[in-house]
Amino acid sequence: MMRMTGARALLTCLEREGVEVIFGYPGGVLLPIYDVLYDSKKIRHVLTRHEQGAAHAADGYARATGKVGVCMATSGPGACNLVTGLATAGMDSQPVVAITGQVATHQIGTDAFQEADTTGITMPIVKHSYLLKDPKEVPDAVRDSFLIASTGRRGVVLIDIPVDVSRSEFDYEPVERKASLQGYKPTTRGHARQIREASRHILSSSRPVIYAGGGVIASDASQELRKLAKMLDIPVTTTLMAKGVFPETHRLSLGMLGMHGTSYANYAMMESDLVVAIGARFDDRITGHLDTFASKAKVIHIDIDPAEIGKNVKVDIPVVGDAKTVLRELIKELEKRAREAPPKDLKQWHRTINRWKKEYPLFIPDDGLCPQFVIDMVYRKTKGKAVIVTEVGQNQMWAAQFYKASIPRNFISSGGLGTMGFGLPAAIGAKIGRPHEVVIDIAGDGSIQMTSQELATAVIEKVPVKVFVLNNGYLGMVRQWQELFYGKRYSHTCLHCDVSPDFVKLAEAYGALGLRVTKPQEVDSVIDRALEYDGPVLVDFRVEPEENVFPMVAPGSSLDDMIGGKK
Amino acid sequence: MKHTLSILVENKPGVLARVAGLFARRGFNIESLAVGITDDPSISRITSVVDVEEHSLEQIYKQLNKLINVLKVVDLPEDTSVQRELVLAKVSADPKARAEIIEIVDIFRGKIVDVGKETITIEITGASSKLCAFENLLRSYGVVDLVRSGMIALSRG
Ligand SMILES: Cc1cc2nc3c(=O)[nH]c(=O)nc-3n(C[C@H](O)[C@H](O)[C@H](O)COP(=O)(O)OP(=O)(O)OC[C@H]3O[C@@H](n4cnc5c(N)ncnc54)[C@H](O)[C@@H]3O)c2cc1C
Ligand SMILES: Cc1ncc(C[n+]2csc(CCOP(=O)(O)OP(=O)(O)O)c2C)c(N)n1
Ligand SMILES: [Mg+2]
């Protein structure tokens, strides 16, 4: 037992959870916590330049490492600034713990200075939250928050701490490691009968497809997934969130599916007789029109969240459980059965798929400095091994299409919320989590301007991230929709980035290296220069302004109804 | 279709807001909601009547179970549970009508809990259908004010 303040207890508990870094921004009600942090030997604090940056950085750290990311903000405006970042993490089921300061307990509800109802504002976007009333609650709340954030379907937990709770002393006693949360028992083991059913269907299918999602990354089940696919020669398509769980260079890979997925992945889904969904949530970006989606297929859905099963698409064989645990059982069952009766011959299916691959490949247009070419060059220069973080829009889709990923947690993107401004701070978080790897933010000229102040964080904290801006001078993704669906009426989507800002000078103003590419011939050497430079770099790629992302499934269309799928 | 959900929750601050917020956010319509503690003061029971299709009911059930403070959710079908609601109704009752109203109250096994110069206040409990019938009868006399407690229910046996 030790006498200490709530603030000290908080830090002690965070250290016990193994926290090595907090992304945060101080303020009045956080003073007691920042005062303790000043002496911490174990925890690094990274001062971002905006609380949104802190939340994205914690999220990027979590995505890159699999560990819980931690961010912190003061009451009122600070907490409000965190919200976008927390919603982004939550929509993509990322483990983040947010700590917010709050006005003193006796002031709550009085519209006190910088008071905001943080637990109320964030209630719909968090997995759980706490508003502490007494320093005694700190140890349990911290332990339970980390447990809730990092288990089951991962998510965001917020701890709101009034300043008097931080300030006052109590008798601290370390809590038991094991939490006793009565109402929280995620199912991890799949039901044996369902697994048998699943294996029976897999072995009797003649056109199976594995549709893998972010849950495979969350459960660290990439090895199991690869084993399953290779064992039975089943083609694999991944969502944006799952890029890297299966090597996109492998012959069984169909790449990404969905609105901007490959034609062959989408055709395969639509022609399949068995879709094996693993840790994927049938988002509208991948199903297209729901009534026609994979209508010839039976659906096996392996997911840790029972609420995802049957939410959008009718499921024939649901298996609730952790992907890794379930896949291991499933593989065992399949091995057993395959010994008794050989699996179906899939040659015909592969022939069909290979024909689609030949007929509808992703292709790089050969006019001018096109963004696809830039991404392809980045891919080749980094040998497919870099950690790629993206912003949102066309840049994100080109990165997804042309950077062939083969390592889990190496492709980091805001999928569910699609938050512009995510990329740079998330890249900083990722680089801090994995300092020995090359981390590149593929950015758009619009997105980068939402959080470009974090260049200061990268410079001051010595986090050598590389920002590659695909500068098309437009809110390109929106412009593309205007071009295709609104008669080319480019209402308020031109950013005039050839006029302002000057990205090279912007980089230099922050003390980063700024480079510019205007011709295809320069791409090669400038990427080299950027990768060699020992510090943060921003490269302004002046790409073709009106290039489009194809193929594209128009919203509400059937998944096999694609625009621009053919060269 | 109408369903009566019995939701056991930890008796902690903000729990009702979480449950109500979930209903609102997911677009589920609540017809009534009644909250109170159980025999165990650390646990409360929320009884809620919702009018939804089967698919939405399943979503409500699963989404509720994801809330950390929710311990258990059960759907109580009408035929295997006891369902009761309390109504307090203030009815205008001039001396002529009084006798008639008292007779109706008797038939419905209600109680008169307050008598004013021009009104009487009636208490009655029962299942929805009974209360609706009762309300309809009172309407012709003039209902000054009426409040329903929201359905509460327990499974039979
Ligand atoms: C401009 C734009 C365009 C987009 N276009 C596309 C596109 O063309 N194609 C595409 O794929 N996406 C696209 N997206 C992303 C899309 O919006 C969704 O974010 C994405 O498809 C969801 O991926 P997911 O199904 O893997 O789900 P995630 O959001 O990653 O969800 C994970 C699922 O796995 C489950 N799960 C979690 N943990 C486990 C575990 N341990 N075991 C088992 N299951 C678990 C969860 O319950 C959940 O159901 C686009 C986004 C933007 C912004
Ligand atoms: C915060 C936020 N605001 C608005 C949008 C809507 N939106 C989606 S893509 C996009 C354009 C992005 O422009 P840019 O970053 O230049 O990328 P590009 O599509 O040109 O590659 C917009 C405005 C969004 N996703 N996020
Ligand atoms: Mg742009």
Side-chain angles (χ1 to χ4, degrees), chain B residues 5-42:
Chain B
L5 296 179
S6 178
I7 309 162
L8 284 176
V9 298
E10 290 179 282
N11 186 11
K12 291 199 171 149
V15 174
L16 181 61
R18 283 181 213 273
V19 171
L22 181 99
F23 278 106
R25 179 162 78 93
R26 301 258 173 201
F28 305 137
N29 254 333
I30 308 179
E31 211 145 88
S32 75
L33 192 87
V35 199
I37 55 167
T38 60
D39 53 318
D40 175 350
S42 71

mmCIF file of all heavy atoms in Angstrom, chain B residues 5-42:
data_model
loop_
_atom_site.group_PDB
_atom_site.id
_atom_site.type_symbol
_atom_site.label_atom_id
_atom_site.label_comp_id
_atom_site.label_asym_id
_atom_site.label_seq_id
_atom_site.Cartn_x
_atom_site.Cartn_y
_atom_site.Cartn_z
ATOM 1 N N LEU B 5 -38.645 -6.817 -23.941
ATOM 2 C CA LEU B 5 -37.279 -7.214 -23.600
ATOM 3 C C LEU B 5 -37.001 -6.919 -22.144
ATOM 4 O O LEU B 5 -37.339 -5.847 -21.647
ATOM 5 C CB LEU B 5 -36.267 -6.439 -24.448
ATOM 6 C CG LEU B 5 -36.302 -6.668 -25.941
ATOM 7 C CD1 LEU B 5 -35.252 -5.805 -26.625
ATOM 8 C CD2 LEU B 5 -36.032 -8.140 -26.241
ATOM 9 N N SER B 6 -36.414 -7.883 -21.486
ATOM 10 C CA SER B 6 -36.014 -7.678 -20.106
ATOM 11 C C SER B 6 -34.490 -7.628 -20.090
ATOM 12 O O SER B 6 -33.824 -8.583 -20.473
ATOM 13 C CB SER B 6 -36.533 -8.845 -19.276
ATOM 14 O OG SER B 6 -36.115 -8.688 -17.953
ATOM 15 N N ILE B 7 -33.957 -6.482 -19.687
ATOM 16 C CA ILE B 7 -32.515 -6.259 -19.802
ATOM 17 C C ILE B 7 -31.931 -6.071 -18.404
ATOM 18 O O ILE B 7 -32.248 -5.093 -17.723
ATOM 19 C CB ILE B 7 -32.238 -4.995 -20.642
ATOM 20 C CG1 ILE B 7 -33.014 -5.061 -21.968
ATOM 21 C CG2 ILE B 7 -30.752 -4.821 -20.894
ATOM 22 C CD1 ILE B 7 -33.169 -3.707 -22.653
ATOM 23 N N LEU B 8 -31.110 -7.007 -17.989
ATOM 24 C CA LEU B 8 -30.459 -6.861 -16.682
ATOM 25 C C LEU B 8 -29.157 -6.102 -16.870
ATOM 26 O O LEU B 8 -28.343 -6.454 -17.724
ATOM 27 C CB LEU B 8 -30.166 -8.231 -16.077
ATOM 28 C CG LEU B 8 -31.359 -8.965 -15.479
ATOM 29 C CD1 LEU B 8 -30.946 -10.350 -14.996
ATOM 30 C CD2 LEU B 8 -31.965 -8.165 -14.327
ATOM 31 N N VAL B 9 -28.992 -5.050 -16.073
ATOM 32 C CA VAL B 9 -27.795 -4.220 -16.228
ATOM 33 C C VAL B 9 -27.150 -3.970 -14.872
ATOM 34 O O VAL B 9 -27.808 -4.059 -13.836
ATOM 35 C CB VAL B 9 -28.135 -2.848 -16.870
ATOM 36 C CG1 VAL B 9 -28.696 -3.029 -18.265
ATOM 37 C CG2 VAL B 9 -29.094 -2.053 -15.998
ATOM 38 N N GLU B 10 -25.860 -3.674 -14.896
ATOM 39 C CA GLU B 10 -25.191 -3.252 -13.668
ATOM 40 C C GLU B 10 -25.757 -1.893 -13.280
ATOM 41 O O GLU B 10 -25.955 -1.033 -14.138
ATOM 42 C CB GLU B 10 -23.685 -3.125 -13.911
ATOM 43 C CG GLU B 10 -23.000 -4.453 -14.108
ATOM 44 C CD GLU B 10 -21.511 -4.272 -14.381
ATOM 45 O OE1 GLU B 10 -21.160 -3.919 -15.526
ATOM 46 O OE2 GLU B 10 -20.713 -4.463 -13.454
ATOM 47 N N ASN B 11 -25.996 -1.714 -12.013
ATOM 48 C CA ASN B 11 -26.569 -0.455 -11.545
ATOM 49 C C ASN B 11 -25.470 0.596 -11.403
ATOM 50 O O ASN B 11 -24.989 0.857 -10.308
ATOM 51 C CB ASN B 11 -27.284 -0.714 -10.219
ATOM 52 C CG ASN B 11 -28.023 0.513 -9.731
ATOM 53 O OD1 ASN B 11 -28.162 1.486 -10.470
ATOM 54 N ND2 ASN B 11 -28.472 0.482 -8.505
ATOM 55 N N LYS B 12 -25.075 1.157 -12.546
ATOM 56 C CA LYS B 12 -23.974 2.134 -12.543
ATOM 57 C C LYS B 12 -24.414 3.393 -13.257
ATOM 58 O O LYS B 12 -25.299 3.337 -14.120
ATOM 59 C CB LYS B 12 -22.754 1.545 -13.258
ATOM 60 C CG LYS B 12 -22.132 0.418 -12.484
ATOM 61 C CD LYS B 12 -20.707 0.172 -12.932
ATOM 62 C CE LYS B 12 -20.026 -0.813 -11.990
ATOM 63 N NZ LYS B 12 -19.028 -1.645 -12.629
ATOM 64 N N PRO B 13 -23.790 4.533 -12.937
ATOM 65 C CA PRO B 13 -24.198 5.776 -13.588
ATOM 66 C C PRO B 13 -24.049 5.672 -15.115
ATOM 67 O O PRO B 13 -23.084 5.079 -15.598
ATOM 68 C CB PRO B 13 -23.230 6.832 -13.044
ATOM 69 C CG PRO B 13 -22.455 6.197 -11.954
ATOM 70 C CD PRO B 13 -22.681 4.733 -11.980
ATOM 71 N N GLY B 14 -24.991 6.230 -15.810
ATOM 72 C CA GLY B 14 -24.862 6.291 -17.270
ATOM 73 C C GLY B 14 -25.371 5.073 -18.007
ATOM 74 O O GLY B 14 -25.402 5.055 -19.233
ATOM 75 N N VAL B 15 -25.769 4.036 -17.291
ATOM 76 C CA VAL B 15 -26.159 2.808 -17.982
ATOM 77 C C VAL B 15 -27.430 3.014 -18.814
ATOM 78 O O VAL B 15 -27.512 2.579 -19.965
ATOM 79 C CB VAL B 15 -26.358 1.649 -16.983
ATOM 80 C CG1 VAL B 15 -26.915 0.432 -17.700
ATOM 81 C CG2 VAL B 15 -25.049 1.311 -16.315
ATOM 82 N N LEU B 16 -28.389 3.705 -18.236
ATOM 83 C CA LEU B 16 -29.633 3.944 -18.972
ATOM 84 C C LEU B 16 -29.340 4.744 -20.249
ATOM 85 O O LEU B 16 -29.888 4.461 -21.312
ATOM 86 C CB LEU B 16 -30.648 4.675 -18.084
ATOM 87 C CG LEU B 16 -31.987 4.942 -18.750
ATOM 88 C CD1 LEU B 16 -32.681 3.647 -19.149
ATOM 89 C CD2 LEU B 16 -32.890 5.762 -17.830
ATOM 90 N N ALA B 17 -28.451 5.730 -20.126
ATOM 91 C CA ALA B 17 -28.085 6.539 -21.296
ATOM 92 C C ALA B 17 -27.465 5.648 -22.369
ATOM 93 O O ALA B 17 -27.722 5.809 -23.559
ATOM 94 C CB ALA B 17 -27.120 7.644 -20.902
ATOM 95 N N ARG B 18 -26.637 4.706 -21.964
ATOM 96 C CA ARG B 18 -26.009 3.812 -22.944
ATOM 97 C C ARG B 18 -27.059 2.976 -23.672
ATOM 98 O O ARG B 18 -27.003 2.804 -24.886
ATOM 99 C CB ARG B 18 -25.014 2.875 -22.255
ATOM 100 C CG ARG B 18 -23.697 3.536 -21.900
ATOM 101 C CD ARG B 18 -22.764 2.524 -21.240
ATOM 102 N NE ARG B 18 -21.915 3.162 -20.257
ATOM 103 C CZ ARG B 18 -20.742 3.724 -20.538
ATOM 104 N NH1 ARG B 18 -20.295 3.725 -21.767
ATOM 105 N NH2 ARG B 18 -20.034 4.299 -19.597
ATOM 106 N N VAL B 19 -28.000 2.445 -22.898
ATOM 107 C CA VAL B 19 -29.025 1.596 -23.503
ATOM 108 C C VAL B 19 -29.929 2.432 -24.413
ATOM 109 O O VAL B 19 -30.159 2.078 -25.576
ATOM 110 C CB VAL B 19 -29.859 0.874 -22.412
ATOM 111 C CG1 VAL B 19 -31.063 0.167 -23.030
ATOM 112 C CG2 VAL B 19 -28.975 -0.128 -21.665
ATOM 113 N N ALA B 20 -30.395 3.557 -23.897
ATOM 114 C CA ALA B 20 -31.287 4.411 -24.688
ATOM 115 C C ALA B 20 -30.554 4.928 -25.927
ATOM 116 O O ALA B 20 -31.106 4.976 -27.028
ATOM 117 C CB ALA B 20 -31.789 5.568 -23.840
ATOM 118 N N GLY B 21 -29.276 5.297 -25.739
ATOM 119 C CA GLY B 21 -28.470 5.801 -26.852
ATOM 120 C C GLY B 21 -28.321 4.755 -27.941
ATOM 121 O O GLY B 21 -28.379 5.061 -29.132
ATOM 122 N N LEU B 22 -28.136 3.520 -27.528
ATOM 123 C CA LEU B 22 -27.996 2.442 -28.502
ATOM 124 C C LEU B 22 -29.274 2.291 -29.332
ATOM 125 O O LEU B 22 -29.226 2.169 -30.559
ATOM 126 C CB LEU B 22 -27.688 1.133 -27.785
ATOM 127 C CG LEU B 22 -27.491 -0.041 -28.731
ATOM 128 C CD1 LEU B 22 -26.017 -0.295 -28.950
ATOM 129 C CD2 LEU B 22 -28.155 -1.286 -28.236
ATOM 130 N N PHE B 23 -30.421 2.317 -28.649
ATOM 131 C CA PHE B 23 -31.692 2.220 -29.371
ATOM 132 C C PHE B 23 -31.798 3.354 -30.398
ATOM 133 O O PHE B 23 -32.168 3.144 -31.544
ATOM 134 C CB PHE B 23 -32.873 2.313 -28.392
ATOM 135 C CG PHE B 23 -33.208 1.013 -27.711
ATOM 136 C CD1 PHE B 23 -32.896 0.802 -26.378
ATOM 137 C CD2 PHE B 23 -33.841 -0.001 -28.410
ATOM 138 C CE1 PHE B 23 -33.203 -0.401 -25.754
ATOM 139 C CE2 PHE B 23 -34.157 -1.208 -27.789
ATOM 140 C CZ PHE B 23 -33.835 -1.410 -26.457
ATOM 141 N N ALA B 24 -31.468 4.559 -29.962
ATOM 142 C CA ALA B 24 -31.601 5.722 -30.836
ATOM 143 C C ALA B 24 -30.639 5.615 -32.018
ATOM 144 O O ALA B 24 -31.014 5.807 -33.176
ATOM 145 C CB ALA B 24 -31.329 6.994 -30.047
ATOM 146 N N ARG B 25 -29.389 5.284 -31.719
ATOM 147 C CA ARG B 25 -28.359 5.278 -32.748
ATOM 148 C C ARG B 25 -28.620 4.234 -33.818
ATOM 149 O O ARG B 25 -28.364 4.446 -34.988
ATOM 150 C CB ARG B 25 -27.007 4.994 -32.084
ATOM 151 C CG ARG B 25 -25.839 4.933 -33.034
ATOM 152 C CD ARG B 25 -24.559 5.090 -32.270
ATOM 153 N NE ARG B 25 -24.176 3.869 -31.597
ATOM 154 C CZ ARG B 25 -23.364 2.945 -32.124
ATOM 155 N NH1 ARG B 25 -22.884 3.123 -33.332
ATOM 156 N NH2 ARG B 25 -23.039 1.867 -31.465
ATOM 157 N N ARG B 26 -29.119 3.081 -33.407
ATOM 158 C CA ARG B 26 -29.348 2.015 -34.374
ATOM 159 C C ARG B 26 -30.742 2.102 -34.991
ATOM 160 O O ARG B 26 -31.170 1.201 -35.718
ATOM 161 C CB ARG B 26 -29.162 0.652 -33.707
ATOM 162 C CG ARG B 26 -27.780 0.466 -33.107
ATOM 163 C CD ARG B 26 -26.898 -0.402 -33.986
ATOM 164 N NE ARG B 26 -25.533 -0.427 -33.489
ATOM 165 C CZ ARG B 26 -24.478 -0.746 -34.236
ATOM 166 N NH1 ARG B 26 -24.629 -1.047 -35.504
ATOM 167 N NH2 ARG B 26 -23.286 -0.745 -33.731
ATOM 168 N N GLY B 27 -31.477 3.144 -34.619
ATOM 169 C CA GLY B 27 -32.783 3.358 -35.229
ATOM 170 C C GLY B 27 -33.849 2.373 -34.777
ATOM 171 O O GLY B 27 -34.754 2.038 -35.527
ATOM 172 N N PHE B 28 -33.749 1.879 -33.551
ATOM 173 C CA PHE B 28 -34.782 0.984 -33.033
ATOM 174 C C PHE B 28 -35.819 1.810 -32.286
ATOM 175 O O PHE B 28 -35.472 2.650 -31.466
ATOM 176 C CB PHE B 28 -34.185 -0.046 -32.068
ATOM 177 C CG PHE B 28 -33.063 -0.851 -32.645
ATOM 178 C CD1 PHE B 28 -31.922 -1.100 -31.893
ATOM 179 C CD2 PHE B 28 -33.135 -1.373 -33.931
ATOM 180 C CE1 PHE B 28 -30.867 -1.844 -32.412
ATOM 181 C CE2 PHE B 28 -32.094 -2.129 -34.454
ATOM 182 C CZ PHE B 28 -30.954 -2.366 -33.695
ATOM 183 N N ASN B 29 -37.093 1.502 -32.551
ATOM 184 C CA ASN B 29 -38.152 2.274 -31.898
ATOM 185 C C ASN B 29 -38.535 1.686 -30.550
ATOM 186 O O ASN B 29 -38.884 0.523 -30.455
ATOM 187 C CB ASN B 29 -39.386 2.290 -32.788
ATOM 188 C CG ASN B 29 -39.531 3.650 -33.423
ATOM 189 O OD1 ASN B 29 -39.065 4.648 -32.862
ATOM 190 N ND2 ASN B 29 -40.166 3.692 -34.576
ATOM 191 N N ILE B 30 -38.487 2.519 -29.543
ATOM 192 C CA ILE B 30 -38.893 2.058 -28.215
ATOM 193 C C ILE B 30 -40.330 2.474 -27.995
ATOM 194 O O ILE B 30 -40.685 3.627 -28.211
ATOM 195 C CB ILE B 30 -38.060 2.719 -27.099
ATOM 196 C CG1 ILE B 30 -36.572 2.560 -27.366
ATOM 197 C CG2 ILE B 30 -38.428 2.132 -25.752
ATOM 198 C CD1 ILE B 30 -35.703 3.219 -26.303
ATOM 199 N N GLU B 31 -41.162 1.528 -27.553
ATOM 200 C CA GLU B 31 -42.534 1.880 -27.242
ATOM 201 C C GLU B 31 -42.666 2.263 -25.774
ATOM 202 O O GLU B 31 -43.364 3.197 -25.419
ATOM 203 C CB GLU B 31 -43.435 0.717 -27.568
ATOM 204 C CG GLU B 31 -44.782 1.181 -27.991
ATOM 205 C CD GLU B 31 -45.346 0.268 -29.043
ATOM 206 O OE1 GLU B 31 -45.986 -0.704 -28.646
ATOM 207 O OE2 GLU B 31 -45.122 0.531 -30.243
ATOM 208 N N SER B 32 -41.991 1.515 -24.919
ATOM 209 C CA SER B 32 -41.983 1.906 -23.506
ATOM 210 C C SER B 32 -40.710 1.416 -22.855
ATOM 211 O O SER B 32 -40.022 0.528 -23.377
ATOM 212 C CB SER B 32 -43.198 1.337 -22.781
ATOM 213 O OG SER B 32 -43.011 -0.040 -22.553
ATOM 214 N N LEU B 33 -40.407 2.003 -21.740
ATOM 215 C CA LEU B 33 -39.163 1.685 -21.048
ATOM 216 C C LEU B 33 -39.417 1.877 -19.557
ATOM 217 O O LEU B 33 -39.917 2.921 -19.147
ATOM 218 C CB LEU B 33 -38.088 2.660 -21.520
ATOM 219 C CG LEU B 33 -36.655 2.352 -21.158
ATOM 220 C CD1 LEU B 33 -36.057 1.448 -22.223
ATOM 221 C CD2 LEU B 33 -35.835 3.626 -21.095
ATOM 222 N N ALA B 34 -39.136 0.863 -18.759
ATOM 223 C CA ALA B 34 -39.303 0.999 -17.311
ATOM 224 C C ALA B 34 -38.036 0.507 -16.630
ATOM 225 O O ALA B 34 -37.473 -0.519 -17.024
ATOM 226 C CB ALA B 34 -40.500 0.188 -16.844
ATOM 227 N N VAL B 35 -37.552 1.256 -15.675
ATOM 228 C CA VAL B 35 -36.288 0.913 -15.027
ATOM 229 C C VAL B 35 -36.455 0.854 -13.523
ATOM 230 O O VAL B 35 -37.143 1.701 -12.935
ATOM 231 C CB VAL B 35 -35.215 1.994 -15.279
ATOM 232 C CG1 VAL B 35 -33.835 1.432 -15.026
ATOM 233 C CG2 VAL B 35 -35.325 2.577 -16.663
ATOM 234 N N GLY B 36 -35.812 -0.110 -12.906
ATOM 235 C CA GLY B 36 -35.798 -0.143 -11.444
ATOM 236 C C GLY B 36 -34.781 -1.147 -10.977
ATOM 237 O O GLY B 36 -34.321 -1.986 -11.761
ATOM 238 N N ILE B 37 -34.403 -1.054 -9.704
ATOM 239 C CA ILE B 37 -33.426 -2.027 -9.224
ATOM 240 C C ILE B 37 -34.110 -3.367 -8.976
ATOM 241 O O ILE B 37 -35.319 -3.454 -8.824
ATOM 242 C CB ILE B 37 -32.690 -1.563 -7.936
ATOM 243 C CG1 ILE B 37 -33.698 -1.217 -6.842
ATOM 244 C CG2 ILE B 37 -31.748 -0.442 -8.206
ATOM 245 C CD1 ILE B 37 -33.029 -1.076 -5.492
ATOM 246 N N THR B 38 -33.315 -4.424 -8.935
ATOM 247 C CA THR B 38 -33.843 -5.765 -8.654
ATOM 248 C C THR B 38 -33.645 -6.056 -7.167
ATOM 249 O O THR B 38 -33.270 -5.162 -6.400
ATOM 250 C CB THR B 38 -33.070 -6.813 -9.470
ATOM 251 O OG1 THR B 38 -31.699 -6.729 -9.086
ATOM 252 C CG2 THR B 38 -33.203 -6.558 -10.956
ATOM 253 N N ASP B 39 -33.861 -7.301 -6.777
ATOM 254 C CA ASP B 39 -33.625 -7.677 -5.372
ATOM 255 C C ASP B 39 -32.170 -7.470 -4.997
ATOM 256 O O ASP B 39 -31.833 -7.265 -3.837
ATOM 257 C CB ASP B 39 -34.044 -9.131 -5.140
ATOM 258 C CG ASP B 39 -33.378 -10.070 -6.137
ATOM 259 O OD1 ASP B 39 -33.308 -9.708 -7.333
ATOM 260 O OD2 ASP B 39 -32.917 -11.144 -5.728
ATOM 261 N N ASP B 40 -31.290 -7.535 -6.000
ATOM 262 C CA ASP B 40 -29.880 -7.237 -5.772
ATOM 263 C C ASP B 40 -29.636 -5.775 -6.153
ATOM 264 O O ASP B 40 -29.733 -5.417 -7.324
ATOM 265 C CB ASP B 40 -29.040 -8.173 -6.649
ATOM 266 C CG ASP B 40 -27.553 -7.869 -6.572
ATOM 267 O OD1 ASP B 40 -27.171 -6.822 -5.997
ATOM 268 O OD2 ASP B 40 -26.771 -8.684 -7.099
ATOM 269 N N PRO B 41 -29.325 -4.923 -5.161
ATOM 270 C CA PRO B 41 -29.239 -3.488 -5.449
ATOM 271 C C PRO B 41 -28.125 -3.115 -6.434
ATOM 272 O O PRO B 41 -28.123 -2.008 -6.967
ATOM 273 C CB PRO B 41 -28.976 -2.850 -4.084
ATOM 274 C CG PRO B 41 -28.630 -3.953 -3.160
ATOM 275 C CD PRO B 41 -29.087 -5.242 -3.743
ATOM 276 N N SER B 42 -27.208 -4.030 -6.717
ATOM 277 C CA SER B 42 -26.156 -3.685 -7.684
ATOM 278 C C SER B 42 -26.628 -3.963 -9.116
ATOM 279 O O SER B 42 -25.902 -3.709 -10.069
ATOM 280 C CB SER B 42 -24.888 -4.475 -7.375
ATOM 281 O OG SER B 42 -25.077 -5.835 -7.689
#
